[in-house]
Amino acid sequence: MSSRSLSRSAARLAAVQALYQQEMEGTATPALLHEFHHHRLGATIEEATYADAEVAFFDDVVTGALARRDEIDAKIEGKLADGWSLARLDKPMKAVLRAGAYELLARPDVPTPTVISEYLDVADAFYDKREKGFVNGLLDALAKDVRPA
């Protein structure tokens, strides 16, 4: 994997964490970005060093997903099974789906398979196989709508 790919993967994971934190605490976007820039991106935990996140990409995903949250939530909700609502999903799942949906909507420079694969990897950090299948199915269905072939 190239260093750019690794830095984007790190940015995506951090973006999901930031979106989760924002939903939990209601942190204003500038404060949220500041905290991640200064305390989280490229952090070292014990012996493992994580790839430095691509800061501009992180900023775009976080600010874009927050700015377009109502639109993104409506698109996600439209792909949920009957009887399901966004409110039934836990906060980490919402963060993963919002970040992935934002990329599908606003980042045509990133190929659809890359977006889906990357957010499956992010989901893997939080969930088991069943939830990863849910992320895959929802982002794939969303991609068919927002990025017709």
Side-chain angles (χ1 to χ4, degrees):
M1 198 179 253
S2 73
S3 62
R4 179 175 181 200
S5 296
L6 288 172
S7 69
R8 284 226 167 152
S9 294
R12 286 180 177 100
L13 179 59
V16 167
Q17 292 168 330
L19 292 172
Y20 170 77
Q21 179 177 324
Q22 195 284 327
E23 183 157 355
M24 292 296 293
E25 300 173 2
T27 311
T29 305
L32 187 67
L33 295 177
H34 182 269
E35 178 181 335
F36 273 78
H37 290 177
H38 294 282
H39 302 292
R40 304 269 186 100
L41 298 178
T44 302
I45 298 175
E46 293 172 19
E47 307 258 333
T49 301
Y50 295 91
D52 282 333
E54 187 177 318
V55 175
F57 190 79
F58 164 82
D59 288 356
D60 181 57
V61 173
V62 173
T63 58
L66 290 173
R68 296 176 70 176
R69 180 162 28 204
D70 291 344
E71 172 194 4
I72 288 167
D73 285 358
K75 293 205 176 291
I76 292 168
E77 198 134 63
K79 296 301 172 195
L80 294 174
D82 286 345
W84 274 81
S85 67
L86 207 58
R88 283 187 66 185
L89 301 179
D90 67 16
K91 287 176 176 60
M93 179 61 74
K94 285 191 265 189
V96 169
L97 295 174
R98 285 172 174 153
Y102 171 75
E103 272 197 65
L104 290 171
L105 287 163
R107 296 296 306 234
D109 58 310
V110 183
T112 300
T114 301
V115 174
I116 294 171
S117 171
E118 286 285 323
Y119 285 100
L120 287 177
D121 289 347
V122 171
D124 204 29
F126 299 99
Y127 296 107
D128 292 326
K129 187 177 178 181
R130 185 170 147 256
E131 289 87 354
K132 279 181 66 179
F134 175 76
V135 170
N136 186 44
L138 196 137
L139 291 179
D140 186 59
L142 187 60
K144 286 181 170 89
D145 277 358
V146 301
R147 291 185 172 189

